[in-house]
Amino acid sequence: MDKKADICTGRDSMHYQLMKEVIGAPRRVIMEFLRKQKSLGETRSALPKPKQTGGPRLKGLVVETDLCFIKKDDLVNCNPRFEKTQKQDLVYCVTSVEKTSGLTKLDLVKTKKPEIVTPIVIEHLKYFAKRNGNKTQDYEIWSDKGLEFDHKVLKPHVKKTKFVKAGSSCENRNRLFQQCFYRILKNRQSVSVKNAIKKSQDQINNTLSK
């Protein structure tokens, strides 16, 4: 603390300087000393805040739903036979996740038209209700503002509908789905998109979290 002192305030730097002059000043002792200095604590860099905080606390059963893109080029990279068998350049996987349990339902869809996608989401709700022994009216349904999800059609089947910017559970499931899906195709465990989606669903629902 002397006015003429030129000792660094970093543990390793201070240890390096003191080694030239004294003995018996290990890093542990230096660190204990530094932790007791009020001025060092006040000028230490603040810890970075997390970019994303936890989501809202759930007050009931919630299902998130979204579309995951499946491109022909990605399919061909996994297996060249898709160059001939896959006619469309872009198809989709309807992903629905029950947020409390993480139970996931996946289905192939070849268009984003709401009259096709929305009935599939209703079937997903029936799937969750059957598995959990309750009714579809016990669930809230959350989705983005994509036109493929017709909330007017969904409202009679659920407790509540809600638009969200990005469903964290669904996005996580989409990432896990893509990992499983393309790995299955590369391993030649399936040679059709529909079957690979079914196998991906089984793997996801059998995956235990930490």
Side-chain angles (χ1 to χ4, degrees), residues 44-189:
R44 190 175 292 119
S45 299
L47 293 174
K49 294 183 179 180
K51 293 181 180 179
Q52 184 174 356
T53 57
R57 187 172 181 177
L58 299 178
K59 297 181 180 179
L61 298 170
V62 176
V63 171
E64 281 185 358
T65 189
D66 195 10
L67 285 185
C68 184
F69 293 73
I70 301 174
K71 297 179 182 179
K72 182 177 180 177
D73 290 342
D74 294 331
L75 296 174
V76 173
N77 288 335
C78 293
N79 190 340
R81 72 175 292 166
F82 282 109
E83 186 68 57
K84 295 181 180 179
T85 59
Q86 183 65 25
K87 296 180 181 180
Q88 292 181 255
D89 291 332
L90 185 64
V91 293
Y92 313 91
C93 176
V94 184
T95 305
S96 296
V97 186
E98 203 279 291
K99 287 177 69 70
T100 304
S101 64
L103 187 65
T104 303
K105 189 74 173 74
L106 306 173
D107 270 301
L108 172 66
V109 66
K110 297 181 179 181
T111 177
K112 293 178 69 173
K113 292 181 179 179
E115 57 267 26
I116 302 296
V117 176
T118 302
I120 292 176
V121 175
I122 294 172
E123 290 302 314
H124 287 188
L125 287 165
K126 292 178 181 178
Y127 168 81
F128 294 130
K130 184 177 180 180
R131 285 289 300 267
N132 294 328
N134 49 26
K135 301 177 182 179
T136 60
Q137 286 80 7
D138 297 328
Y139 294 91
E140 293 183 21
I141 186 79
W142 294 2
S143 75
D144 58 26
K145 293 186 178 181
L147 298 177
E148 60 270 19
F149 303 110
D150 191 337
H151 281 219
K152 291 182 180 179
V153 176
L154 290 170
K155 277 183 179 179
H157 298 273
V158 294
K159 182 179 179 180
K160 180 182 176 182
T161 65
K162 180 180 178 181
F163 289 113
V164 292
K165 278 189 176 181
S168 57
S169 298
C170 226
E171 287 186 349
N172 289 334
R173 277 298 183 267
N174 280 339
R175 283 193 291 269
L176 184 57
F177 158 69
Q178 289 177 327
Q179 290 174 6
C180 295
F181 177 75
Y182 292 112
R183 189 182 301 124
I184 287 168
L185 294 179
K186 284 185 178 181
N187 292 339
R188 302 298 193 269
Q189 293 172 286

Side-chain angles (χ1 to χ4, degrees), residues 19-43:
M19 277 179 60
K20 300 176 181 178
E21 303 177 19
V22 301
I23 61 172
R27 288 182 176 86
R28 178 180 57 80
V29 174
I30 293 173
M31 197 65 211
E32 289 177 358
F33 168 79
L34 292 174
R35 284 173 176 164
K36 294 177 182 178
Q37 308 311 307
K38 182 179 179 181
S39 61
L40 296 181
E42 290 175 343
T43 56

Side-chain angles (χ1 to χ4, degrees), residues 102-106 127 131 173 176-177 180-181 184 194-208:
L103 187 65
T104 303
K105 189 74 173 74
L106 306 173
Y127 168 81
R131 285 289 300 267
R173 277 298 183 267
L176 184 57
F177 158 69
C180 295
F181 177 75
I184 287 168
K194 187 174 182 178
N195 183 254
I197 289 176
K198 175 64 172 62
K199 287 183 180 242
S200 300
Q201 176 182 303
D202 293 339
Q203 287 190 16
I204 291 170
N205 286 332
N206 287 328
T207 300
L208 297 177

